[in-house]
Amino acid sequence: MSTESVKTNIDGHVLEVTLDRPKANAIDLKTSKIMGDVFCDFRDNPNLRVAIITGSGEKFFCAGWDLKAAADGDAVDGDYGVGGFGGLQELPHMNKPVIAAVNGICCGGGLELALSADIILAAEHASFALPEIRSGTVADAASLKLPKRIPYHIAMEMLFTGRWLDSEEAARWGLINQVHKSNDLLSKARELAELLASGPPLVYAAIKEVVREAENMKFNDALNMITKSQFRTVETLYRSEDQLEGARAFSEKRDPVWRGK
């Protein structure tokens, strides 16, 4: 589903999505809607198991909201499409792993897009910030997510001051998983994606639903829902062929063959 601003490539069970809007890979309403459609198709395609989101070039992953488009009439509170801004952060029932390969500057809505992924890899020269404070606006999604991902005081410093983190510091605070040389970033992301794609998709789905839905639940309530298969994905998993295949493969001392059903 490649377009002028969003390139896609499928390799086996892996979807690669590249934001391609020079110079800063900023996102306008049209691009956000396209990305939402892309990730919606990924979510609903049983043959696709893992997605990688990255940016074109080596300078910008994504600079966030396209201020030039806003000046030309794009409303900040306009229709971003089925997945919200960037097509991912509000997409319901996204129960497949998503890897962000941050290839450069990742700021504002671009950082919020990266935070919507499950795993974040970054190039050595990548940098991260929430500069909204300097324009008198709120980094809405980041204000909700960031204090839960990294130490509270570091998150609040970023939100209050807009200061930049380089990749080394971002990794130190746990904002990102790994730092790689620029030339190795995509190959490392693809290697990780292949590893995940070889794993059990129904288990991934259950993990993502449980983590998402249990965020605001009491521990015992969430645990009871898991053990009683009251999460839709958990019920599907424990009634699946894959669940039986996992048990058989273990007893037969062989690698399981996951079919996602």
Side-chain angles (χ1 to χ4, degrees):
M1 189 178 171
S2 293
T3 67
E4 184 177 346
S5 58
V6 181
K7 311 299 185 192
T8 60
N9 182 66
I10 295 174
D11 184 6
H13 296 299
V14 178
L15 171 68
E16 194 169 305
V17 182
T18 303
L19 183 58
D20 187 10
R21 299 194 75 234
K23 299 178 181 179
N25 290 331
I27 298 174
D28 60 359
L29 290 179
K30 179 180 178 181
T31 302
S32 184
K33 291 177 183 177
I34 293 170
M35 294 175 73
D37 290 340
V38 166
F39 283 114
C40 189
D41 288 345
F42 163 70
R43 179 196 64 188
D44 297 339
N45 186 335
N47 191 52
L48 296 176
R49 298 185 179 181
V50 184
I52 298 170
I53 174 69
T54 192
S56 64
E58 294 186 355
K59 187 172 182 180
F60 284 93
F61 169 72
C62 175
W65 176 240
D66 189 336
L67 296 179
K68 183 177 179 181
D72 290 339
D74 266 13
V76 175
D77 60 350
D79 180 8
Y80 292 100
V82 64
F85 181 79
L88 191 57
Q89 65 184 13
E90 297 179 57
L91 186 62
H93 309 301
M94 172 53 90
N95 292 330
K96 297 179 180 181
V98 178
I99 301 166
V102 178
N103 54 299
I105 292 171
C106 178
C107 63
L111 179 51
E112 292 175 335
L113 176 61
L115 288 171
S116 299
D118 302 295
I119 296 174
I120 305 176
L121 310 184
E124 288 178 324
H125 68 281
S127 55
F128 305 83
L130 295 165
E132 284 87 344
I133 190 71
R134 297 172 185 172
S135 58
T137 58
V138 176
D140 46 14
S143 296
L144 298 172
K145 291 182 177 182
L146 197 61
K148 298 177 181 179
R149 306 291 182 85
I150 63 176
Y152 173 85
H153 300 95
I154 304 302
M156 297 308 288
E157 181 186 7
M158 291 181 68
L159 288 162
F160 283 159
T161 69
R163 84 169 179 91
W164 291 82
L165 273 62
D166 60 21
S167 284
E168 181 181 350
E169 184 177 6
R172 187 164 71 246
W173 296 125
L175 178 61
I176 63 177
N177 296 77
Q178 300 170 12
V179 180
H180 297 289
K181 293 180 179 179
S182 178
N183 292 339
D184 295 335
L185 178 64
L186 267 182
S187 64
K188 292 295 185 181
R190 290 165 179 157
E191 181 180 316
L192 177 58
E194 288 295 337
L195 174 64
L196 294 177
S198 69
L202 295 183
V203 177
Y204 295 151
I207 290 171
K208 288 202 66 171
E209 184 183 28
V210 167
V211 169
R212 183 177 61 247
E213 298 300 324
E215 185 174 10
N216 296 314
M217 298 175 64
K218 293 181 179 179
F219 175 82
N220 285 338
D221 292 341
L223 189 60
N224 285 335
M225 287 189 66
I226 297 171
T227 57
K228 294 178 181 178
S229 298
Q230 291 178 346
F231 288 108
R232 180 180 59 84
T233 53
V234 175
E235 181 182 15
T236 298
L237 169 64
Y238 289 139
R239 294 176 180 271
S240 69
E241 295 176 18
D242 273 6
Q243 199 276 330
L244 296 174
E245 166 63 10
R248 291 193 190 104
F250 180 81
S251 65
E252 296 169 7
K253 298 181 180 181
R254 60 174 175 81
D255 292 332
V257 178
W258 308 116
R259 302 186 185 280
K261 58 184 181 180

